[in-house]
């Protein structure tokens, strides 16, 4: 454990993390496969929900927070599967494993790159939900909670996706494993975001427990990922 911590303090470790993150961003810039899939799925989902609930706008606004997180989860699952399967199919991930790169650097690089993909998607979703549901998703605390929840979700998602990516039934296994694992994150995150949907802002004491649960989940998933990722990818 101390050896791992020393590696993570080494500037070359963070240089490797940044290199892997930048590589994923450049691949996506050229292919546009991951983000385009997430955006198209999200657009169809939001429009479908909007038309389905159009007859009862008050009910639609009441459930808008849950709809936002549901869309993020489902689109994020598609993005995770696509982002990691591209490298598996092209055998570029095998080259990463052969290279003298710490496995934790690969894990963090993947977490950071996929988090950026999902945050880009969320920026679009926030605008759509403001337009369609007329709720104040633009508030800074809401955006911060979304970012915290996204990081924890992706930290768990990269680990689970790496476990299932070699399986023939990975498209089924990933949501079956990841979505239940995300419930302890999504429930408090949804509660915290919902508290900011009213005209009057809540007191910090009303949302701090939910926010602390989100942060605790992030730290727990990140720690589990850093400890187990090397065994997952080398198994």
């Amino acid at each position: 454990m101390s050896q791992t911590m020393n590696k993570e303090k080494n500037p070359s470790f963070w240089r490797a993390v940044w290199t892997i993150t930048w590589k994923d961003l450049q691949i996506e810039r050229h292919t546009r496969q991951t983000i385009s899939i997430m955006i198209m799925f999200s657009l169809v989902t939001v429009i479908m929900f909007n038309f389905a609930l159009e007859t009862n706008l008050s009910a639609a606004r009441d459930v808008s927070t849950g709809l936002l997180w549901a869309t993020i989860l489902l689109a994020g699952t598609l993005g995770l599967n696509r982002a990691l399967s591209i490298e598996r199919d092209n055998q570029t991930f095998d080259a990463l494993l052969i290279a003298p790169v710490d496995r934790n650097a690969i894990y963090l690089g993947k977490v950071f790159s996929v988090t950026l993909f999902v945050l880009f998607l969320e920026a679009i979703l926030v605008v759509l939900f403001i337009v369609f549901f007329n709720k104040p998703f633009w508030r800074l605390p809401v955006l911060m909670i979304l970012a915290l929840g996204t990081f924890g979700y992706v930290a768990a998602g990269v680990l689970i996706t790496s476990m299932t990516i070699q399986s023939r039934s990975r498209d089924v296994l990933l949501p079956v494993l990841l979505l239940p694992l995300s419930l302890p994150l999504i429930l408090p995150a949804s509660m915290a975001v919902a508290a900011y949907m009213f005209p009057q802002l809540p007191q910090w004491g009303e949302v701090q427990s939910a926010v602390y649960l989100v942060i605790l989940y992030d730290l727990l998933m990140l720690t589990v990922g850093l400890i187990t990722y090397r065994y997952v990818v080398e198994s």
Side-chain angles (χ1 to χ4, degrees):
M1 180 64 71
S2 61
Q3 186 179 2
T4 301
M5 293 178 64
N6 289 334
K7 286 181 180 179
E8 293 176 5
K9 292 178 181 178
N10 194 325
S12 62
F13 175 87
W14 294 108
R15 193 178 303 118
V17 172
W18 165 246
T19 301
I20 293 169
T21 303
W22 181 251
K23 173 189 67 65
D24 291 347
L25 295 178
Q26 290 302 305
I27 290 174
E28 182 59 27
R29 185 173 70 88
H30 290 293
T31 63
R32 293 182 175 88
Q33 294 186 20
T34 302
I35 291 180
S36 61
I37 290 174
M38 292 193 296
I39 291 176
M40 289 304 300
F41 174 84
S42 300
L43 285 175
V44 172
T45 304
V46 172
I47 293 172
M48 179 184 66
F49 280 138
N50 182 64
F51 278 102
L53 298 171
E54 190 175 12
T55 56
N56 193 341
L57 291 178
S58 61
R61 291 166 182 166
D62 290 340
V63 300
S64 59
T65 300
L67 294 180
L68 174 61
W69 278 111
T71 306
I72 292 172
L73 284 181
L74 296 175
T77 302
L78 289 175
L80 280 164
N81 193 17
R82 188 59 188 164
L84 274 73
S85 63
I86 289 175
E87 290 201 332
R88 283 292 187 182
D89 295 340
N90 297 330
Q91 297 183 336
T92 54
F93 192 78
D94 295 333
L96 270 179
L97 296 179
I98 296 173
V101 179
D102 190 271
R103 301 299 185 254
N104 286 343
I106 299 175
Y107 172 70
L108 288 179
K110 295 296 180 185
V111 170
F112 291 158
S113 62
V114 178
T115 298
L116 290 175
F117 296 158
V118 180
L119 288 177
F120 180 80
L121 170 68
E122 288 175 2
I124 299 174
L125 284 176
V126 164
V127 174
L128 290 176
F129 270 74
I130 292 173
V131 172
F132 286 135
F133 298 102
N134 194 26
K135 284 288 187 177
F137 288 100
W138 49 264
R139 287 175 172 169
L140 183 59
V142 173
L143 299 179
M144 293 178 64
I145 294 168
L146 286 174
L148 285 173
T150 299
F151 184 78
Y153 169 70
V154 174
V158 169
L159 184 63
I160 298 298
T161 307
S162 300
M163 293 171 58
T164 61
I165 202 68
Q166 298 281 23
S167 173
R168 293 182 180 179
S169 57
R170 65 191 182 194
D171 294 334
V172 176
L173 278 177
L174 178 58
V176 167
L177 295 176
L178 180 57
L179 296 181
L181 183 64
S182 303
L183 279 179
L185 167 71
I186 299 306
L187 292 178
S190 298
M191 293 172 57
V193 170
Y196 286 95
M197 293 297 102
F198 299 99
Q200 185 176 1
L201 293 177
Q203 298 294 324
W204 169 243
E206 300 175 30
V207 297
Q208 65 175 355
S209 298
V211 174
Y212 287 156
L213 285 174
V214 173
I215 295 174
L216 181 61
Y217 183 95
D218 290 2
L219 295 176
L220 179 61
M221 287 298 105
L222 186 63
T223 302
V224 171
L226 290 173
I227 293 174
T228 62
Y229 187 74
R230 68 187 64 197
Y231 304 109
V232 169
V233 296
E234 292 176 358
S235 60

